[in-house]
Amino acid sequence: MIMLLFGLATLIFLMFSMIAVRYFGGKFSYCNDATVYGRVDCVGNFIDGSGILKPRSWILPEHNFDWVGKGVLTLFEIATLDEWLEVMYASQDISGTDRQPIMNKSSTNAVFFVLFICIGSMFTVRAFIGVFIDQFALASGSKLLTEKQKTFRDLHRIVEYMKPLKDIKRPEGENFFAKLRRFSYD
């Protein structure tokens, strides 16, 4: 069951990664000088907002989809819901390959990330957690019980193993004391 689920998750992540490489590959890069148009113009020096002269450089962010392996890693980080909004916002600013990002130029790219969150994160990751908890419950299950449930389970086990030490028979006889013992026994 775990291997089947792992295979399904790998297939989903690879599929989304290939789609992302096709549509977003090479488009997440940007120049540290926001006034340039593209990679060709990102040369020389510029004066930044604080008045310091800096060299222009073309930057590839850590989260990108330039090849399938990096795409799977980025999607895995998105599936954990860690920093996924920054990646989605960067995809919405895409203006083309080797072009400087423009704010909300491609806002429809957010649909890809919302679909992936619904399928990749909510379904796949939750299914993994569910399978692991189910397998653990089959093995012992004690970690999933509350304190009251553990107490009930322990008392139930004690009651199952309790047996009287000696089987006492109903008193016999016809005299007064035998009748009194039978009455008390009943």
Side-chain angles (χ1 to χ4, degrees), residues 52-137:
I52 299 173
L53 185 67
K54 291 185 175 180
R56 289 185 179 111
S57 61
W58 194 251
I59 300 169
L60 177 64
E62 180 183 351
H63 304 294
N64 62 66
F65 297 98
D66 285 356
W67 60 287
V68 174
K70 188 64 176 176
V72 169
L73 181 62
T74 301
L75 288 175
F76 179 74
E77 291 177 13
I78 289 171
T80 62
L81 301 178
D82 184 35
E83 300 179 11
W84 76 279
L85 287 174
E86 289 139 14
V87 179
M88 183 183 71
Y89 292 150
S91 75
Q92 290 177 322
D93 297 342
I94 289 173
S95 63
T97 304
D98 292 335
R99 299 239 174 112
Q100 188 73 356
I102 299 171
M103 189 167 200
N104 292 330
K105 174 81 174 171
S106 307
S107 58
T108 57
N109 289 343
V111 173
F112 173 82
F113 293 95
V114 172
L115 281 174
F116 179 73
I117 290 295
C118 292
I119 296 170
S121 180
M122 300 303 177
F123 171 71
T124 308
V125 174
R126 302 304 186 259
F128 261 112
I129 291 170
V131 166
F132 282 122
I133 288 175
D134 187 47
Q135 292 298 317
F136 184 76

Side-chain angles (χ1 to χ4, degrees), residues 165-180:
L165 298 175
K166 184 178 177 185
D167 191 21
I168 302 173
K169 295 181 181 176
R170 189 168 189 261
E172 297 176 1
E174 290 302 321
N175 62 19
F176 173 73
F177 292 109
K179 290 179 183 179
L180 182 61

